[in-house]
Amino acid sequence: MGQMQRPGWMDVSNTVDVTSPREVCAAVRKLMHRNYPDFDWTVLERLFTDFQRLYDGRYPGYRACDIRYHNSQHVLDVTLAMARLLDGHSRRHGTGQVLEAELAVAGIVTALFHDSGYIRRTQEGQHRNGAVYTRIHVSRGARFLAEYLPQVGLDHLTAICTRIIHFTGYEQDPEDLAVASDGERVLGFLLGTADLIAQMADIDYARKCREDLYEEFVAAGLASAGGEEPCDGAIYRSADQLMRMTPAFIRNSIRVRLNGYFKGVHRYAAEHFDGRHLYMDAIEENCRSLEAMLADSAG
């Protein structure tokens, strides 16, 4: 299936609408029930309902999501990727090595709320949007989980979720993150991997970086607004510069994070797809297309 045939709202396999919490919930529940048939997965309906309420601005104490890159589609795409990696892990390993059901739940709920730190609280009206919290959004997400999980009867997962969420951030090297068990570390690797492969495999990745991610970087003080001098701490001077640096970011993310820190667990996606690594195929295609586009514009 050629990449250009995939609409922007569809997942990497072109089978799930990742703008639909209902569709993603159904896909995740099917995978989780297959691997953990004795666990009551009805909890997923509550989690996805609360996720939609949070991003729509109907969750008490919070405003709606007001940024376009780290939005609900991104989170749903990551959550679906997380479920697929868990499925691939289960397929690869024997019964005795499969992650226990409680860890799987922790992985899904943390994926679903891993970017909740971008959502502004009701009283946080002094900023234009939640992108201003880019540098601290992971810690804010951990705080949200600590407050939220007891409300849905998952308080026993608070410690795990508030630890593994940091595998999605860049404040610390993943090797330095404290975990309680080897299984929890694997879960963190899977979560950090899902966050990266879902966004880099997005059919609209390049456009979203130029138009949406750059806008978030400007709000966060990581990039300069058009025509302005770089502010202190800015990394990017223009959207064009961000685009020129993106192929290197992709290659570096594969080498350092996916294959390095996260021990190549992205390969479990190929186990899920019966040998086809659809995420990496799409990432490579995105990188080649962007490099070709940049070469054409430079020529």
Side-chain angles (χ1 to χ4, degrees), residues 237-286:
R237 291 175 176 265
S238 67
D240 286 341
Q241 182 194 17
L242 172 63
M243 298 308 293
R244 290 193 299 271
M245 295 175 68
T246 296
F249 170 80
I250 294 173
R251 302 293 187 197
N252 190 65
S253 294
I254 293 171
R255 180 178 61 84
V256 176
R257 289 184 79 82
L258 295 180
N259 289 331
Y261 290 144
F262 299 150
K263 311 301 182 186
V265 300
H266 64 87
R267 296 182 180 90
Y268 291 131
E271 295 287 336
H272 167 76
F273 288 118
D274 298 320
R276 297 183 61 199
H277 198 333
L278 298 185
Y279 286 99
M280 195 56 67
D281 290 348
I283 291 168
E284 293 287 355
E285 177 61 26
N286 278 342

Side-chain angles (χ1 to χ4, degrees), residues 28-40:
V28 170
R29 183 171 180 175
K30 181 178 180 180
L31 289 174
M32 293 297 96
H33 184 265
R34 181 168 73 191
N35 290 298
Y36 305 94
D38 297 328
F39 190 85
D40 182 7

Side-chain angles (χ1 to χ4, degrees), residues 51-58 61-73 75 115-134 137 140 211-213 215-217 219-220:
F51 162 80
Q52 187 165 20
R53 291 170 64 215
L54 178 66
Y55 276 74
D56 288 350
R58 294 181 289 109
Y62 287 85
R63 299 167 181 257
C65 177
D66 47 24
I67 54 178
R68 296 186 297 175
Y69 186 89
H70 293 97
N71 62 4
S72 60
Q73 178 177 346
V75 176
D115 276 343
S116 57
Y118 283 108
I119 308 294
R120 290 186 295 162
R121 292 175 180 259
T122 303
Q123 68 270 27
E124 292 173 332
Q126 70 273 31
H127 302 297
R128 187 180 67 180
N129 61 49
V132 72
Y133 301 116
T134 295
H137 80 277
R140 282 170 56 91
E211 298 177 8
D212 302 335
L213 184 60
E215 182 181 80
E216 291 183 22
F217 283 168

Side-chain angles (χ1 to χ4, degrees), residues 71-92:
N71 62 4
S72 60
Q73 178 177 346
H74 161 70
V75 176
L76 291 170
D77 212 355
V78 170
T79 305
L80 179 60
M82 182 64 176
R84 287 169 168 167
L85 290 173
L86 285 165
D87 178 64
H89 182 276
S90 296
R91 290 186 180 205
R92 172 72 64 87

Side-chain angles (χ1 to χ4, degrees), residues 5 16 49 53 55 68 104 151 193 200 228 230 244 249-250:
Q5 293 177 290
V16 181
T49 295
R53 291 170 64 215
Y55 276 74
R68 296 186 297 175
Q151 299 177 32
T193 295
M200 294 194 301
E228 295 183 5
R244 290 193 299 271
F249 170 80
I250 294 173

Side-chain angles (χ1 to χ4, degrees), residues 82 89 99 103 160 163-167 173-193 260-263 265 268:
M82 182 64 176
H89 182 276
L99 295 174
L103 282 179
I160 296 173
R163 285 192 293 262
I164 67 169
I165 193 174
H166 290 280
F167 283 86
D173 286 343
E175 293 176 339
D176 297 331
L177 296 175
V179 292
S181 67
D182 290 341
E184 189 177 312
R185 187 174 300 280
V186 170
L187 195 67
F189 292 163
L190 295 173
L191 179 64
T193 295
Y261 290 144
F262 299 150
K263 311 301 182 186
V265 300
Y268 291 131

